[in-house]
Amino acid sequence: MSREDYEIVIGLEVHAELSTKTKIFCSCPTEFGGEPNTHTCPICMAMPGTLPVLNEKVVEYAVKAGLATNCEIARDSKNDRKNYFYPDLPKSYQISQYDKPLCEHGVVEIEDDEGNPKTVRLTRIHIEEDAGKLNHNEFGGGSLVDLNRAGVPLIESVSEPDLRSAKEAERYLRKLKSIFEYIEVSDCKMQEGSLRADVNVSVRKKGETKFGTRTEMKNMNSFRAIVRAIEYEANRQIDVLEEGGVIEQETLRWDDVSGRTFSMRDKEDAQDYRYFPDPDLVAIRLSDEYIEKIRKELPELPESRRKRYMEEFKLSEKDARLLTASKYLSDLFEKAEQITGNAKAVANWILSDISRILNEKELEADQIPFTAEELDKVIQLIEKGTISSAIAKKVVEVLFENPKDPEEIIQEKGWIQISDEGAILEVVKKVIEANPQSVSDFKGGKEKALGFLVGQAMKETKGKANPQMLNQMFKEELSK
Ligand code: ADP
Ligand code: ZN
Ligand code: MG
């Protein structure tokens, strides 16, 4: 049998760090970074005798996430201890939720590989605390523990095994990320580990109804790595099965450098964790009023923004979808549109040059280093005729490297458009003289020759000549 006879099955467990000001069970700051062990207190360092108190904001944010993903919100919920030992977990258990998660039975809408709408089911969203970080000393000096992250609140969103390709998994994760960004429960900065996914992969023969045995790759925090890892792992499993082997249920580590997965440990079952209700915390009871209040306060979600962009700005469905796929892009669009009043131009810049550069540099939208004001300035400089759009593209490239006032950039680089008639006429005459063949082609009726001559003049002026004036003057000179 060949690879095409197999189907890939994927389920994701996505951890998002909540952007509450303080940790889940103490009042230490959740801020990323900081000197090791400075965002800590006796509670998150698990000193004996300390007691946790649940941060109400964590519940509110999790309910928001649940409502935005169409979950049922539990009126009755609780915290449980998940027992395991690891040096970054000072209590030797993690406070999580076991059988009574806050949110269940959600759905997230994505597109499948053919572009058709597809519903991915969310099993649950629960709250839990993050662990600390181990800094391994590569020179053999042991490992140092930093507990700044210990007790930072997380929501874990568990999907059903509904995903069927690496790209589909990527689209699902992007959608979930964008929803969390829109409702502002997490900054979802993957590079800082605010959003990370455990990726479960299995394969089965097409037409088979039972799922195959899955393997799990933990803590993945880049889209590119996730796609590569799923494709590698699915192929590895197919090879094993084709050779008559069996898949072991295990936890794997993806190595981005070698592009391979490695075995870490056998998979534990829920029973290994000896879950039990945390006796230090009271149960969580939510009233209908509380939930309805949060529902009413939910901000605009991507779907509704998309529709609004189509109506208000007359953008195509595709453009509106691309813009709203990321809250950062969408906010950049709205801010720049408000200043320029030119939705089309702003959308074009974001969807063509800016998106292209993001792709080339493998950056996410939240890593765009310049502001809406700076983008707006570029557009105004074109409208005023100070720079050509060819130069504007170069300005945007510079903005990515060294964001500052675009006017300063063009001054420094000497990129101001030449709109001086005398200077342009000089270039036009020079080009006409140097290209007698094109001149006679044009005079003989070949319109295309004009484009060539204009192009030559642009080259001559390094893209700085005003294109309308060039066209005009060539026509005048050639009709003499
Ligand atoms: P845990 O990993 O903590 O044991 P679960 O048993 O709930 O948790 O499963 C976790 C994830 O694994 C879920 O996202 C689920 O969709 C996915 N999953 C379960 N079975 C399979 C399978 N056969 N193939 C791929 N993914 C699977
Ligand atoms: Zn603390
Ligand atoms: Mg898991």
Side-chain angles (χ1 to χ4, degrees), residues 13 156 198 200 214 216 218 267:
E13 298 159 87
E156 175 172 346
D198 298 346
N200 297 272
R214 73 183 145 118
E216 176 172 10
K218 282 198 175 292
K267 175 86 188 90

Side-chain angles (χ1 to χ4, degrees), residues 9-13 82 123-124 156-162 198-203 211-216 218 249 267-270 273 275:
V9 174
I10 305 151
L12 298 189
E13 298 159 87
K82 179 178 183 180
T123 319
R124 57 191 275 156
E156 175 172 346
S157 310
V158 182
S159 84
E160 292 289 318
D162 285 346
D198 298 346
V199 181
N200 297 272
V201 179
S202 67
V203 298
F211 287 132
T213 305
R214 73 183 145 118
T215 57
E216 176 172 10
K218 282 198 175 292
Q249 183 169 339
K267 175 86 188 90
E268 32 317 74
D269 278 329
Y273 291 122
Y275 279 101

Side-chain angles (χ1 to χ4, degrees), residues 85 138 149 326:
F85 173 76
E138 45 189 307
R149 210 180 60 180
S326 146

Side-chain angles (χ1 to χ4, degrees), residues 319 367 468:
D319 287 358
Q367 292 169 296
Q468 284 87 12

Side-chain angles (χ1 to χ4, degrees), residues 23 26-28 39-44:
K23 291 186 178 179
C26 63
S27 46
C28 291
H39 303 164
T40 53
C41 72
I43 297 174
C44 54

